[in-house]
Amino acid sequence: MSTDTANLSAHTPESHAAQTHGGVVLAGLTKRYADGTTAVDDIDLRIEPGTYCCLLGPSGCGKTTMLRMIAGHETPSDGAILIDGKNVIDKSPRERGTAMMFQNYALFPHLSVRDNVAFAMRVRGVAKKERLYEADRVIEQVQLGALADRLPGQLSGGQQQRVALARAIIMRPTVLLLDEPLSALDEFLRLQMRGELRGMQRELGITFVHVTHTQLEAIAVADQVVVMDKGRIAQSASPRDIYAQPRTEYVAAFIGGQNVMHGRVSDLGDAAITLHGAQGACYILPRGDAPVSIGATMSFAVRRDRMRVTGENDAMAATPNTLHGRVRELEYQGIYMKVSLVTDDPSAPGCVVYVEENTFFKDPVAVGQRVRCGWDIGEAHGLAERA
Ligand code: ATP
């Protein structure tokens, strides 16, 4: 187990710099189930106080297990969980200063909104007058004042979600843990509620740790996105870095919006790497910090919206950073045209380019047409091996 949490990567969103409570540190956190499954594998992670953190990954990657361990609903096999600097491994869920909001909201159908919200205080023996006062305070905070006497069955999905949120925050946690909080909502409500969750997190000023498998949800709400892969962290960074600078092929493919290509390193300059792909393709990319050697196979990514597509013509000599191919499909998306290609380089068989609408219609390409697609050197970045 690594106890040296000082080396963990820090994320300090400026807007949260003043927060002092709700910092979470995971050090060497591991969960092995009795059947031999390692759901969470030696994870180190730092979440600064007041951060909106999303744990993102495909089904089965260990995000719920990680959340449940932070909440105290699952016992780690190894490692430490620090909340505001104190190891809480031996503490009960109540003693940790955390609260959990569940996927299905877990509301009591026979209790009114007010009694649902006051329930946690009732369990803790808080006097009726005080708990109803507190319940009304948080019900106002989530803008459900007019519906406090209704039963959950008389509420919409979005309203039920707000009740669940009110119920989670009534005990004034420093860390709120949210397990797929938007998954029960339809598309329209999901977009609305994710904005509300983000707004509520800012207003409350507490740390949110939100589990989701939806990429756009994570990058829309989070200050820090933690992409998980088979129980490990593939990358933990700001949404912009996750989207624009995925570290590995796995992250690039999972987040989307990128074309990943491969080549063999044929030249190493101080500032650039030259790769050779199939069919004489030549790619030049900026040299990063990662070690790389001549002859090694390397993958790199270029954002879909940073590529250009033009009709192929004989006058074009072979230029670096160019894929040749045929247009397979065009999909109009309003602000851009999605151009899907079948490329000649078998290491990059499918390539998708987002061409801004005006640019596309100035010089359109058609389905079936031979095209070439290029990008500036600075738009490519090398990818590391899978973590
Ligand atoms: P999902 O998005 O589907 O909820 P997840 O990323 O949250 O997935 P977890 O629920 O944390 O994933 O599960 C991680 C791994 O641990 C999976 O392989 C799962 O099958 C396994 N697992 C979870 N709970 C148990 C258990 N009680 N016993 C054995 N294996 C388990």
Side-chain angles (χ1 to χ4, degrees):
M1 178 192 97
S2 153
T3 49
D4 180 13
T5 55
N7 293 330
L8 299 175
S9 61
H11 303 270
T12 315
E14 276 174 34
S15 55
H16 303 289
Q19 285 294 329
T20 52
H21 295 296
V24 178
V25 171
L26 311 180
L29 192 66
T30 301
K31 178 68 187 181
R32 283 181 292 273
Y33 286 108
D35 66 357
T37 305
T38 302
V40 174
D41 190 4
D42 194 19
I43 272 183
D44 291 337
L45 178 69
R46 178 187 290 274
I47 304 170
E48 295 294 336
T51 300
Y52 199 129
C53 172
C54 274
L55 306 181
L56 173 68
S59 182
C61 71
K63 41 195 198 301
T64 302
T65 303
M66 202 157 126
L67 196 76
R68 287 173 53 78
M69 286 194 283
I70 300 172
H73 297 147
E74 195 72 73
T75 310
S77 311
D78 207 347
I81 300 171
L82 280 71
I83 297 183
D84 293 329
K86 295 194 186 69
N87 196 346
V88 297
I89 290 283
D90 297 325
K91 299 250 186 287
S92 69
R94 272 192 202 182
E95 294 168 315
R96 296 183 180 207
T98 57
M100 186 125 172
M101 188 175 136
F102 296 96
Q103 206 166 46
N104 54 8
Y105 311 149
L107 303 178
F108 298 113
H110 58 290
L111 294 185
S112 69
V113 167
R114 183 180 289 108
D115 288 338
N116 260 290
V117 174
F119 186 77
M121 292 195 133
R122 187 169 130 196
V123 172
R124 290 178 205 200
V126 176
K128 189 168 182 181
K129 194 171 161 201
E130 189 187 337
R131 65 177 191 250
L132 292 182
Y133 175 82
E134 279 298 306
D136 282 338
R137 181 183 64 79
V138 291
I139 287 169
E140 282 303 326
Q141 215 167 0
V142 298
Q143 294 159 20
L144 284 179
L147 307 178
D149 295 317
R150 288 218 190 151
L151 296 175
Q154 298 169 317
L155 301 174
S156 70
Q159 289 162 345
Q160 289 183 35
Q161 201 240 22
R162 282 190 224 155
V163 179
L165 182 61
R167 208 168 64 160
I169 62 178
I170 193 167
M171 297 309 297
R172 301 177 189 255
T174 52
V175 182
L176 182 62
L177 306 163
L178 306 102
D179 188 7
E180 298 271 8
L182 305 172
S183 63
L185 305 177
D186 65 38
E187 178 69 12
F188 177 78
L189 257 185
R190 203 161 40 233
L191 295 184
Q192 185 188 338
M193 293 310 295
R194 82 179 185 203
E196 290 194 17
L197 272 184
R198 173 79 243 200
M200 191 60 67
Q201 188 268 341
R202 283 211 182 96
E203 197 175 304
L204 293 168
I206 65 177
T207 305
F208 273 30
V209 185
H210 170 152
V211 160
T212 179
H213 59 266
T214 310
Q215 297 84 339
L216 291 180
E217 183 174 308
I219 63 175
V221 297
D223 301 307
Q224 176 183 4
V225 178
V226 180
V227 181
M228 295 188 60
D229 176 18
K230 297 192 184 121
R232 309 204 66 145
I233 294 178
Q235 189 171 2
S236 167
S238 69
R240 184 153 191 232
D241 281 354
I242 290 282
Y243 188 78
Q245 301 284 323
R247 204 176 66 76
T248 61
E249 196 168 334
Y250 169 83
V251 178
F254 185 69
I255 296 293
Q258 303 270 351
N259 289 301
V260 175
M261 288 154 279
H262 307 262
R264 195 171 288 280
V265 179
S266 59
D267 189 50
L268 281 176
D270 289 342
I273 303 173
T274 306
L275 306 180
H276 273 95
Q279 315 238 325
C282 169
Y283 307 118
I284 302 174
L285 49 145
R287 186 166 182 172
D289 300 333
V292 48
S293 52
I294 301 268
T297 301
M298 191 176 168
S299 55
F300 65 99
V302 181
R303 274 169 63 155
R304 290 176 171 184
D305 58 336
R306 301 295 162 88
M307 287 182 156
R308 298 176 293 271
V309 180
T310 48
E312 206 173 46
N313 71 52
D314 295 342
M316 287 168 178
T319 43
N321 294 347
T322 305
L323 287 172
H324 296 265
R326 193 174 294 284
V327 177
R328 184 173 56 80
E329 200 171 279
L330 293 174
E331 258 181 49
Y332 181 53
Q333 306 278 328
I335 48 176
Y336 63 90
M337 182 67 83
K338 180 177 174 190
V339 183
S340 302
L341 310 176
V342 180
T343 46
D344 298 347
D345 181 345
S347 81
C351 169
V352 176
V353 185
Y354 296 157
V355 186
E356 190 271 325
E357 184 198 30
N358 280 330
T359 312
F360 180 86
F361 286 106
K362 258 183 228 155
D363 191 11
V365 293
V367 171
Q369 185 180 341
R370 288 284 306 170
V371 291
R372 63 177 218 155
C373 132
W375 58 92
D376 296 336
I377 290 174
E379 300 295 353
H381 77 273
L383 299 168
E385 294 291 315
R386 195 170 180 141

